[in-house]
Amino acid sequence: MRATYIYGAGDIRVETVADPELLLPTDAIVRVTRACICGSDLHPYHSKPASEHGTTIGHEFIGVVEEIGSDVATLGVGDFVIAPFAWSDGTCAFCREGLQTSCEQGGFWNMPGKQVGGGQAEAVRVPLADGTLVKVPAPVDEALYPSLLALTDVYGTGWHAALRAGVNASKTIAVIGDGAVGLMAVLSAKQMGAERIILMGRHETRTNLGLEFGATDVVAERGDEGIQMVRELTDGYGVHAVLEAVGMLPAYEQALGIVRPGGVISRVGVPQYEEGPVGSTLFFPNITLTGGPAPVRTYIEQLLPGVLDGTVNPGKVFDQTIDLDHTPEGYRAMDQRTALKVMVTP
Amino acid sequence: MRATYIYGAGDIRVETVADPELLLPTDAIVRVTRACICGSDLHPYHSKPASEHGTTIGHEFIGVVEEIGSDVATLGVGDFVIAPFAWSDGTCAFCREGLQTSCEQGGFWNMPGKQVGGGQAEAVRVPLADGTLVKVPAPVDEALYPSLLALTDVYGTGWHAALRAGVNASKTIAVIGDGAVGLMAVLSAKQMGAERIILMGRHETRTNLGLEFGATDVVAERGDEGIQMVRELTDGYGVHAVLEAVGMLPAYEQALGIVRPGGVISRVGVPQYEEGPVGSTLFFPNITLTGGPAPVRTYIEQLLPGVLDGTVNPGKVFDQTIDLDHTPEGYRAMDQRTALKVMVTP
């Protein structure tokens, strides 16, 4: 099969390798129907040290079960499935609490030493298949593929940001970042009833989509100027909840600048920093800092009905489709922001 | 009157000064019945640069209204009142939300430029008296003074820690710190139904009082050893909620070490640090960081009935009583930990 590898910053290659095989009785092999490129794939694309050995990449895919291990009980060959960006057993203490990203046996695609490939490939070995995969009732309309694919990560991630922030109709929300996750945070906040959603982003085609998803205001300015704008829009108070979908330190600092006393900063952009302001700045105004990798496994089940019945169309974040051989161009397009989110057809 | 001043680290003096006077029609003058010394008073006691000019100190007092301004509507001369550690108008957006520590017109005792003295004195000018003070129904039993005094700060602060952490019967709790606030966090967690409360502290008389308030386990170890102990007590998982009542960076780091994925760190110890771990450490396990200065004005009304009917006895944290002239000795006793919390009789 063909699969995508990263050899270092800017060095993405599609190679022909052996097909994945069942290794454990709890495994399934999934033939990929659609995959995509994530904003977080751009982090290694920017910074990974060059290596002689490539690493598989990609963590978002939907597909069809091709083979199952002897212990797989809830899935059958031919099932159409959504794969969350984390695999999980579905039975441990954390999975039972709905926090599958902390599964005691679980992990992430492309994890070193786990013999688990990436989603940007023709097929993937899925560990703990019963716990990991969510079956979509047949027949699956091809027109829904983009939205089903959005459920593997960005939609559930935006949902997590809004849910952890306690979004409701009475709260004013700001979303930092007009990437796919930021736009999904807008959509999620809207679904939870928020009447005022300020989207902070400066790419007009993206913020326009944000307006379509439910944003009521767009602030293109960043830093102090952006903070000033949001404060003006909120009578000087700031917003009740900031959904931070970027992950860089200035985005966190921006969140601190626009959040109202007693408010919440909910982060779903993977922090590219470790140390930062965490003392008085958060403490004195009673700010709550929350968020993390979304347990999308939980959210897929909750959000799938709305996708299937057409209530929501998160798949609109895909504005470019390429075939697997052109994955390197897909990375380039997302890096140069000529594409918002790239779908890959194997 | 006599009032307590701090002139620098270790330099506490009781001086005779003019009685406070009404300055605004919303003021009241309160004759102090009991005051006390707070763990947070020890921060300037340790580090305040020496100065020729003293600053008033103390932010916890109960007393009797002696005089009211012409706009004070809900209080009368002779009322017995509890003063929260922050004064607030009771009408702004934040007060209406129950976050009086962020009051738009409010402030804290001893604030520079506000002509507001401290609680360790014979009398205090109370700004925004209607919003600030909580009246206790007469007659007030002197035996209740310690518990009423605890309501000015430490009890509400412990309550805030537990409330913000979402304590309930199904959660395992750890409290870091065996000072008065830590012990009040234990009491509060117990009141909220927690069945497992691990108190981290190493002063046996204090942790014994913690056991009386509802702690089920005591861990005297700190740092890595303490983390290891708590993990052992929780089957390796860590606790659902950490109530951090110290405020030093190592206490925050200890909280990070013992909190379970998906859990909460609720801080009420005033952070003596600004930068710290705030990226991946919090993010990947989906830890929520919350807390801040407690809006005790809200909590006094909720907690007063339990104090009046004897359900709880938070006043047990006072283990030494001195008269106002001996305030410097009171600071020394708390600093040297020969006293847990010192009550001051003017």
Side-chain angles (χ1 to χ4, degrees), chain B residues 164-285:
Chain B
R164 283 292 188 115
V167 170
N168 63 38
S170 69
K171 291 181 182 163
T172 298
I173 312 302
V175 174
I176 299 182
D178 58 9
V181 171
L183 298 180
M184 292 293 95
V186 169
L187 174 67
S188 301
K190 178 71 181 174
Q191 281 187 275
M192 292 178 197
E195 288 168 8
R196 187 82 187 275
I197 303 171
I198 302 168
L199 173 58
M200 302 190 79
R202 51 184 190 148
H203 303 90
E204 207 178 334
T205 54
R206 299 175 178 201
T207 55
N208 282 344
L209 185 52
L211 291 167
E212 200 179 314
F213 281 139
T216 52
D217 304 82
V218 170
V219 170
E221 291 77 4
R222 298 201 285 190
D224 287 345
E225 211 182 336
I227 290 169
Q228 186 61 30
M229 290 287 290
V230 173
R231 296 220 158 253
E232 276 167 28
L233 287 170
T234 54
D235 298 326
Y237 289 123
V239 297
H240 295 96
V242 184
L243 316 185
E244 198 282 88
V246 175
M248 309 307 283
L249 188 57
Y252 171 56
E253 290 167 339
Q254 190 163 308
L256 289 169
I258 62 174
V259 68
R260 179 187 169 103
V264 183
I265 298 172
S266 183
R267 293 183 301 183
V268 288
V270 180
Q272 302 301 303
Y273 53 91
E274 179 50 24
E275 297 281 312
V278 69
S280 324
T281 315
L282 285 174
F283 186 84
F284 283 110

Side-chain angles (χ1 to χ4, degrees), chain B residues 6-28:
Chain B
I6 180 166
Y7 279 79
D11 189 359
I12 302 287
R13 309 181 197 172
V14 178
E15 302 187 338
T16 298
V17 296
D19 276 8
E21 289 177 8
L22 296 175
L23 295 180
L24 293 169
T26 47
D27 287 350

Side-chain angles (χ1 to χ4, degrees), chain A:
Chain A
M1 70 161 188
R2 289 164 305 144
T4 307
Y5 287 78
I6 180 164
Y7 279 78
D11 189 358
I12 302 288
R13 307 180 199 173
V14 178
E15 301 187 339
T16 299
V17 296
D19 276 8
E21 289 177 5
L22 297 174
L23 296 180
L24 293 169
T26 48
D27 287 350
I29 302 299
V30 171
R31 179 69 43 182
V32 175
T33 304
R34 293 287 185 279
C36 55
I37 304 174
C38 186
S40 66
D41 291 331
L42 295 180
H43 295 314
Y45 185 75
H46 288 147
S47 62
K48 194 177 169 66
S51 164
E52 278 178 45
H53 304 285
T55 310
T56 57
I57 190 164
H59 54 262
E60 299 158 294
F61 62 98
I62 54 175
V64 175
V65 175
E66 191 169 79
E67 211 178 335
I68 55 171
S70 55
D71 285 355
V72 174
T74 62
L75 298 162
V77 171
D79 283 348
F80 193 101
V81 290
I82 302 172
F85 70 80
W87 39 276
S88 53
D89 62 18
T91 56
C92 76
F94 298 108
C95 285
R96 290 198 310 269
E97 290 173 8
L99 191 67
Q100 292 89 347
T101 47
S102 292
C103 174
E104 293 181 66
Q105 293 192 82
F108 298 87
W109 311 106
N110 314 298
M111 248 180 139
K114 295 290 186 182
Q115 294 176 273
V116 177
Q120 294 155 14
E122 288 184 82
V124 181
R125 175 189 155 244
V126 176
L128 304 167
D130 281 327
T132 304
L133 298 169
V134 181
K135 184 175 162 176
V136 183
V140 180
D141 183 352
E142 192 173 330
L144 291 178
Y145 286 178
S147 287
L148 296 173
L149 188 56
L151 282 169
T152 64
D153 183 344
V154 288
Y155 186 17
T157 295
W159 185 263
H160 188 56
L163 192 71
R164 283 293 189 112
V167 171
N168 62 38
S170 69
K171 291 180 182 163
T172 298
I173 310 301
V175 174
I176 300 182
D178 58 9
V181 171
L183 298 180
M184 293 292 96
V186 170
L187 174 67
S188 301
K190 178 73 181 173
Q191 283 186 272
M192 293 179 197
E195 287 168 10
R196 188 81 186 277
I197 304 170
I198 302 167
L199 174 58
M200 303 191 79
R202 51 185 190 148
H203 303 90
E204 205 178 335
T205 54
R206 299 176 178 199
T207 54
N208 283 344
L209 185 52
L211 291 167
E212 200 177 315
F213 281 139
T216 51
D217 305 81
V218 170
V219 170
E221 290 77 5
R222 298 201 285 190
D224 287 344
E225 211 182 338
I227 290 169
Q228 187 59 30
M229 290 287 291
V230 173
R231 295 221 157 250
E232 277 167 27
L233 287 169
T234 54
D235 299 325
Y237 289 124
V239 297
H240 295 95
V242 185
L243 316 185
E244 199 282 87
V246 174
M248 310 305 284
L249 188 58
Y252 171 57
E253 290 168 338
Q254 190 164 307
L256 289 169
I258 62 175
V259 68
R260 178 186 169 104
V264 182
I265 298 172
S266 183
R267 295 182 301 182
V268 288
V270 181
Q272 302 301 302
Y273 53 91
E274 179 50 23
E275 297 280 313
V278 70
S280 324
T281 316
L282 285 173
F283 186 83
F284 284 109
N286 267 286
I287 306 305
T288 295
L289 178 63
T290 189
V296 297
R297 179 63 177 77
T298 295
Y299 303 145
I300 292 170
E301 293 187 351
Q302 297 170 11
L303 300 175
L304 184 56
V307 165
L308 293 177
D309 71 16
T311 309
V312 286
N313 190 355
K316 281 187 183 170
V317 293
F318 293 103
D319 58 350
Q320 205 175 106
T321 302
I322 56 173
D323 60 34
L324 185 57
D325 291 328
H326 290 90
T327 308
E329 285 86 337
Y331 276 81
R332 234 171 349 254
M334 281 187 57
D335 183 39
Q336 294 168 356
R337 311 214 175 205
T338 56
L340 166 55
K341 193 164 174 71
V342 173
M343 185 153 65
V344 179
T345 307

